[in-house]
Amino acid sequence: HFFLNIDLKLYSLQHFLFFDTKSNMPKIKVQKPSTGYIKYNPRAYAIYASMFQPAEVDTEVLAKNISQYGEDSTAIPNKTELTFQEFSDLFNKKALAEFEGEGNCYAYGNKDAQSPMVPMKFTRRATGPEDVRIQVVYCGICHSDIHQARDDWKNSTYPVIPGHEITGIITEIGSSVTKFKVGDRVGVGCLVNGCRNCNACKKDLQQYCEKGPVFTYCSTDPKDGTSTKGGFSTYMVIDENFVLRIPDSLPLDAAAPLLCSGITMYSPIRHYGLDK
């Protein structure tokens, strides 16, 4: 598996600020952002949250990362503490490509079975009462993505936005969400809903939903009737019951492939007791 790393402007957060905590370099602290700042600056917040809070980093490391993910690594203010807005401004960056279409979410997708993947925009639904909004940090590439993009299974719904090995940071939660909070490190696999009422769903076997599971892409979303679109995009809006928590000890890039290929292997090993 390879990785496609996407944020609000389709820029990688890969290996962001993996720094030596024992370094003697001067450090800068970043103030924790308010909920309002998080909602309107999800890209910057995903970067901030990837720094393993509390957000105190070496100035040299910060400059290198700004050079990669921002516009100007020489623009760091001469101070020991930054507001979140100042931090966010350091990581502003112009888009590298023109995006086809209209909408509030940037993505890579296929317009048909013959065309290559291109940058595009589409509209995701607003965060509902039981939903969480996840800023995508990593998304693995599964061979299923290629099959679906090429309509090898004759059930693709275009445009296809693939990706079902998704890890990221929660930047918004619905009013009824109880399992997660803003800032949590989470993942999404190949399922995003089910009927919730059949015997399979009641046993947490939604992949066998009698009315058909709702896959992360190329399925009909029961919440708004649109075709689901996957993780090769800047953010996801997912029902909290289909979101997984990623432990702080597990890097988000390493966690991504566990959500498809990893669980595909681990599940039978565990089921048949081969992990004993």
Side-chain angles (χ1 to χ4, degrees):
H1 287 246
F2 301 93
F3 292 94
L4 181 66
N5 308 301
I6 306 175
D7 63 25
L8 187 60
K9 293 294 185 181
L10 293 177
Y11 299 105
S12 169
L13 303 184
Q14 185 176 19
H15 300 138
F16 181 83
L17 295 178
F18 282 85
F19 57 91
D20 181 1
T21 56
K22 297 181 180 179
S23 171
N24 293 322
M25 292 295 298
K27 294 183 180 295
I28 292 180
K29 185 177 182 180
V30 180
Q31 296 175 5
K32 186 176 181 179
S34 66
T35 302
Y37 273 118
I38 293 171
K39 182 176 181 179
Y40 294 106
N41 295 273
R43 174 179 183 262
Y45 183 70
I47 295 174
Y48 169 84
S50 297
M51 297 196 310
F52 308 111
Q53 303 170 30
E56 187 177 67
V57 297
D58 292 347
T59 53
E60 182 179 359
V61 174
L62 181 59
K64 288 181 179 178
N65 282 274
I66 294 170
S67 178
Q68 184 169 0
Y69 305 116
E71 293 286 4
D72 184 5
S73 61
T74 66
I76 301 176
N78 185 22
K79 55 176 67 175
T80 58
E81 185 171 351
L82 301 178
T83 65
F84 181 74
Q85 185 60 59
E86 289 173 325
F87 175 85
S88 178
D89 290 343
L90 293 174
F91 287 90
N92 286 335
K93 192 168 185 177
K94 297 178 182 178
L96 295 176
E98 294 295 326
F99 296 88
E100 298 183 12
E102 299 294 333
N104 56 18
C105 189
Y106 295 83
Y108 275 109
N110 295 81
K111 295 184 292 184
D112 54 57
Q114 290 75 41
S115 300
M117 186 173 284
V118 296
M120 59 178 61
K121 291 190 288 185
F122 68 95
T123 298
R124 286 210 187 273
R125 69 170 187 268
T127 305
E130 298 177 345
D131 294 331
V132 298
R133 173 174 168 151
I134 303 167
Q135 194 73 13
V136 177
V137 178
Y138 292 94
C139 186
I141 299 177
C142 175
H143 206 279
S144 299
D145 300 329
I146 300 172
H147 284 307
Q148 203 77 69
R150 295 290 173 247
D151 199 22
D152 291 338
W153 298 327
K154 307 304 177 185
N155 63 351
S156 298
T157 304
Y158 292 97
V160 172
I161 310 293
H164 59 209
E165 300 176 353
I166 305 158
T167 58
I169 306 294
I170 290 182
T171 57
E172 185 180 14
I173 63 172
S175 58
S176 299
V177 169
T178 59
K179 299 178 181 179
F180 300 99
K181 65 181 185 302
V182 170
D184 282 349
R185 306 165 77 250
V186 295
V188 177
C190 61
L191 296 174
V192 294
N193 218 322
C195 76
R196 316 283 186 98
N197 295 315
C198 69
N199 289 331
C201 283
K202 290 179 179 179
K203 294 178 180 178
D204 286 335
L205 296 171
Q206 289 88 351
Q207 66 269 35
Y208 300 120
C209 177
E210 295 171 12
K211 294 185 179 180
V214 180
F215 294 109
T216 308
Y217 55 88
C218 290
S219 284
T220 300
D221 190 334
K223 294 199 174 187
D224 65 359
T226 62
S227 178
T228 56
K229 295 177 175 60
F232 293 179
S233 57
T234 53
Y235 73 95
M236 306 285 292
V237 177
I238 305 292
D239 188 291
E240 68 167 332
N241 291 295
F242 290 82
V243 177
L244 304 171
R245 190 180 305 278
I246 305 296
D248 291 341
S249 58
L250 181 59
L252 291 178
D253 56 347
L258 299 180
L259 295 165
C260 179
S261 58
I263 191 60
T264 300
M265 292 297 297
Y266 179 72
S267 181
I269 290 174
R270 183 68 181 271
H271 180 78
Y272 289 103
L274 301 179
D275 60 329
K276 305 299 183 184

